[in-house]
Amino acid sequence: MISFLPTTLTELKSLEWPQLDIILVTGDTYIDSPYIGAALIGKHLVSHGFKVGIIAQPDVNSEADITRLGEPKLFWGVTSGSIDSMVANYTASKKRRKSDDFTPGGLNDKRPDRAVIAYTNLIRRYFKNTAPIVLGGIEASLRRIAHYDFWTDKVRKSILFDSKADILIYGMAEKSIYHLANNLQADKSSKNIPGLCYIDSSAPTDFIELPTFDECTTDKDQFSRMFNEFYKNNDPLTASGLYQQYDSRYLIQNPPSPHLSTHELDSIHEINFSRNVHPYYAKLGKVKAQETIKFAITTHRGCYGECNFCAIAVHQGRTVISRSSESIINEAKKLSAHPEFKGNISDVGGPTANMYGYECKQKLTIGACKNKRCLYPQICKNLKANHKPYSKLLDSIMTLPNIKNVFVASGIRYDLLSSDSSGDQCLSQIVRHHTSGQMKIAPEHTVDKILAVMGKPGSSELLKFKKKFDQLSSGAGKKQFLTYYFIAAHPGSTLEDMTKLKSFCFKELNCSPEQVQIFTPTPSTYSTLMYWTERDPFTGKKLTVEKSAARKENQKTTLTKKPGTKSNGIAGRGNGIKIRKWK
């Protein structure tokens, strides 16, 4: 297996590849890591015999970057990178972000707005009648149907229409992209591939019809109906295909690709990754994101939390697929042999660390419930949380030679810990051996009516967890603390609610919050639906939704201001992105 996907002609010549089968174009710099979607997809395709190259952060005002590898035989793969480009480029106050953790040197000057559209236009500018352009990654996945766009404050078309690309692959794309590459190589139709969207002049008779684009732009009730139908058809075991009319043409969304098995997920993570920035880009400066992911290990994908503001359920799925402990331990051994390894594994986790190693057996056999959630309003009795596999995994990694510390940096879902008899032992283990001074948790709010709108557990669960954490830290003789993530100006939240949250933090949590972000309406979440329609989609009740940038800032400042100071609605601007491990 090659160390890096080629990005220069010199590399192609050294590999004796006269022409590439596939060229991937991405809005991130090229870090050869399983955490980076373009790298993982590229190496996955190479492992199946395809010749794949990569162009990272091409200059959209020049032909120099986009033409340097020539033209692919099979297709171009286009992604914005690890983050939706509008989220990467703008704060919740619509101010331009100065930094980008995925760009060499850290300056936010390489990723264009609406990167998927920009890169597709760039390809078509210099390659006429070229190979198909295939969209993938988080930006394409979450914008695959008609969606509310916060930055223009309107409903936009599917990004497949706006970009004028040929195909869109959504979700975790390993199976879909492999089948597409095979079909294109064999000159076969790709219209029936699961996890694929395309545009056609007619609609399949056995797919579900969504409200038309025109209906969604003029009627918020129709938009809500569309989103509900879209959301509940995301599980590969239960989903139907969908279609949506745009004038005289149709967006066709095939049912989702089947989840990878544990064996298949293991195989992908057993691919050789250098864990470094490609030398072509490394000379441009340090890449902050690499510091976070270089010696981190992914244990699973998917999340059954389904928080209303989070898109993981739509992109990675509601079903948790875990790697085998053998595969994870082998990866830890490889990391410990890396020449730059200093003895510390920075994270062993996933979207939520303590979801490793168990799932609802019913969900695995007949699919996720369409009208019931795993964790809200209470933990489903069919989801039998079991923290023993995670505890055993951490112990096993700690015993490996050359490993000094194994940290859990991914978030912890504290209501899951309290629902399982082995949860206390697991928490004790993490507190004593796997916490680097602080533990990240994301209560998001403490006012129960706002937590209900978010789909999060009540504040009593937070207090129980804090008490346990403090007792365990004290018992271990360690000065450790909890880092809380909170959201300001979420739909339903008022200035009064933020004042209550501030009081709760001061009296009950003994802290002055610093990790606070203003709610950003990102595509394909229920919270964004609430923001656009100003209604709770589950109850139909009207919601207070703050849309003034100044008053949103005031909500944040109310929480972050020091005691005795007055809020002026200005302090606290430039809040950062809470980066989730999305592909």
Side-chain angles (χ1 to χ4, degrees):
M1 173 67 74
I2 56 178
S3 295
F4 289 99
L5 300 173
T7 193
T8 64
L9 277 177
T10 301
E11 291 170 286
L12 291 188
K13 290 176 181 177
S14 68
L15 292 168
E16 298 183 346
W17 290 358
Q19 184 180 11
L20 291 164
D21 297 315
I22 299 148
I23 297 177
L24 303 178
V25 183
T26 175
D28 294 336
T29 198
Y30 174 27
I31 308 173
D32 193 62
S33 164
Y35 279 103
I36 301 299
L40 188 147
I41 289 295
K43 285 290 188 71
H44 171 60
L45 289 168
V46 169
S47 73
H48 286 282
F50 295 99
K51 297 178 178 65
V52 185
I54 189 167
I55 301 172
Q57 300 185 318
D59 182 353
V60 295
N61 298 310
S62 166
E63 65 179 301
D65 291 325
I66 202 65
T67 61
R68 71 170 180 257
L69 295 180
E71 192 170 8
K73 287 181 183 178
L74 300 180
F75 67 86
W76 299 85
V78 174
T79 172
S80 68
S82 301
I83 309 172
D84 180 284
S85 58
M86 297 305 286
V87 176
N89 289 347
Y90 296 94
T91 70
S93 301
K94 299 184 180 179
K95 296 184 179 296
R96 183 83 183 180
R97 296 189 193 274
K98 295 179 181 179
S99 62
D100 186 338
D101 290 354
F102 293 90
T103 295
L107 187 64
N108 186 20
D109 61 352
K110 294 290 191 296
R111 193 192 314 265
D113 292 352
R114 308 195 188 283
V116 165
I117 297 173
Y119 293 151
T120 302
N121 290 340
L122 179 65
I123 293 166
R124 294 211 184 279
R125 192 182 314 150
Y126 296 105
F127 295 95
K128 307 301 180 186
N129 302 314
T130 189
I133 298 176
V134 181
L135 309 183
I138 193 74
E139 183 168 306
S141 186
L142 301 187
R143 295 177 181 268
R144 63 188 186 261
I145 62 166
H147 57 280
Y148 172 70
D149 179 73
F150 169 64
W151 294 271
T152 53
D153 193 33
K154 68 178 184 181
V155 176
R156 289 182 68 106
K157 293 181 178 179
S158 161
I159 202 166
L160 192 53
F161 277 90
D162 274 352
S163 66
K164 298 180 175 60
D166 300 288
I167 294 168
L168 185 154
I169 289 179
Y170 65 91
M172 308 302 277
E174 293 93 351
K175 287 188 176 183
S176 301
I177 203 80
Y178 169 66
H179 289 311
L180 176 65
N182 273 335
N183 283 14
L184 290 174
Q185 191 172 57
D187 199 24
K188 294 180 180 179
S189 172
S190 300
K191 287 187 175 182
N192 293 324
I193 294 175
L196 183 143
C197 298
Y198 61 96
I199 296 169
D200 210 334
S201 57
S202 59
T205 56
D206 55 342
F207 281 23
I208 295 173
E209 181 179 9
L210 299 175
T212 68
F213 173 71
D214 287 343
E215 289 173 334
C216 289
T217 58
T218 57
D219 187 335
K220 291 183 178 180
D221 288 338
Q222 290 284 59
F223 184 89
S224 294
R225 187 169 75 83
M226 174 207 70
F227 185 79
N228 284 326
E229 198 68 62
F230 163 77
Y231 188 88
K232 72 182 183 182
N233 280 282
N234 269 286
D235 187 281
L237 294 177
T238 62
S240 298
L242 306 172
Y243 69 89
Q244 184 172 45
Q245 186 173 359
Y246 293 74
D247 298 323
S248 61
R249 296 188 295 166
Y250 297 88
L251 172 75
I252 315 297
Q253 176 181 301
N254 291 342
S257 178
H259 294 302
L260 296 180
S261 66
T262 291
H263 174 71
E264 289 169 329
L265 189 56
D266 285 351
S267 297
I268 286 171
H269 282 273
E270 285 162 10
I271 293 171
N272 177 51
F273 292 93
S274 72
R275 300 270 177 167
N276 289 319
V277 178
H278 189 288
Y280 182 87
Y281 301 102
K283 64 186 179 183
L284 302 176
K286 290 186 177 181
V287 181
K288 188 175 181 180
Q290 188 200 16
E291 299 171 13
T292 304
I293 64 178
K294 188 165 188 174
F295 297 117
I297 299 176
T298 297
T299 57
H300 62 279
R301 65 171 54 167
C303 181
Y304 34 72
E306 290 191 83
C307 301
N308 287 330
F309 49 80
C310 180
I312 292 176
V314 170
H315 184 61
Q316 286 198 15
R318 297 168 59 185
T319 300
V320 172
I321 306 298
S322 298
R323 294 170 61 188
S324 69
S325 59
E326 292 80 8
S327 173
I328 295 168
I329 291 166
N330 284 337
E331 183 174 345
K333 290 177 180 177
K334 287 182 182 179
L335 292 184
S336 69
H338 193 285
E340 297 175 30
F341 185 69
K342 304 296 185 184
N344 298 320
I345 303 289
S346 61
D347 187 29
V348 177
T352 301
N354 61 321
M355 289 185 184
Y356 173 77
Y358 59 93
E359 242 301 359
C360 167
K361 291 182 180 179
Q362 179 176 307
K363 192 198 295 186
L364 291 172
T365 53
I366 63 174
C369 300
K370 288 194 174 184
N371 298 307
K372 186 179 181 182
R373 294 191 176 189
C374 297
L375 303 186
Y376 185 83
Q378 58 270 326
I379 297 173
C380 178
K381 63 181 181 180
N382 292 324
L383 180 66
K384 302 186 187 303
N386 180 8
H387 289 80
K388 290 180 181 178
Y390 190 50
S391 293
K392 184 177 179 182
L393 176 67
L394 293 173
D395 277 342
S396 297
I397 297 173
M398 275 297 296
T399 63
L400 296 176
N402 303 321
I403 292 179
K404 300 175 183 176
N405 296 295
V406 176
F407 296 116
V408 177
S410 298
I412 296 288
R413 185 82 187 212
Y414 43 82
D415 53 339
L416 278 173
L417 284 167
S418 63
S419 73
D420 171 31
S421 60
S422 61
D424 283 352
Q425 187 276 330
C426 182
L427 178 60
S428 176
Q429 177 184 3
I430 294 172
V431 168
R432 290 173 179 272
H433 305 297
H434 307 294
T435 300
S436 180
Q438 59 182 316
M439 179 185 289
K440 299 176 186 175
I441 57 172
E444 312 296 4
H445 216 286
T446 60
V447 175
D448 284 349
K449 69 172 185 176
I450 307 303
L451 291 169
V453 174
M454 293 176 166
K456 296 284 288 186
S459 57
S460 61
E461 288 287 341
L462 173 61
L463 291 177
K464 285 194 296 183
F465 176 77
K466 182 184 184 308
K467 183 178 180 180
K468 287 181 181 179
F469 178 86
D470 289 344
Q471 289 174 342
L472 289 168
S473 293
S474 177
K478 303 181 90 173
K479 291 184 178 181
Q480 298 183 145
F481 59 94
L482 294 170
T483 297
Y484 306 95
Y485 287 95
F486 293 109
I487 296 177
H490 186 277
S493 176
T494 65
L495 193 60
E496 180 183 1
D497 295 317
M498 298 307 291
T499 302
K500 290 179 180 178
L501 170 55
K502 175 71 174 182
S503 176
F504 188 97
C505 289
F506 181 72
K507 294 178 181 178
E508 304 291 346
L509 304 181
N510 193 29
C511 74
S512 181
E514 295 179 358
Q515 303 293 332
V516 182
Q517 60 178 353
I518 296 173
F519 170 71
T520 302
T522 54
S524 294
T525 71
Y526 267 111
S527 292
T528 297
L529 178 65
M530 297 175 198
Y531 184 90
W532 173 233
T533 62
E534 300 182 33
R535 290 193 177 278
D536 185 323
F538 309 107
T539 66
K541 293 181 179 178
K542 187 171 177 59
L543 284 174
T544 298
V545 177
E546 187 54 77
K547 296 193 175 182
S548 160
R551 288 195 290 270
K552 290 179 186 179
E553 291 284 357
N554 213 19
Q555 284 203 27
K556 178 182 177 180
T557 307
T558 296
L559 186 56
T560 57
K561 68 181 179 181
K562 301 300 181 183
T565 61
K566 293 183 178 181
S567 170
N568 59 9
I570 297 175
R573 288 185 177 174
N575 55 297
I577 309 169
K578 179 165 51 170
I579 296 176
R580 307 216 186 241
K581 289 173 184 170
W582 284 329
K583 185 167 44 162

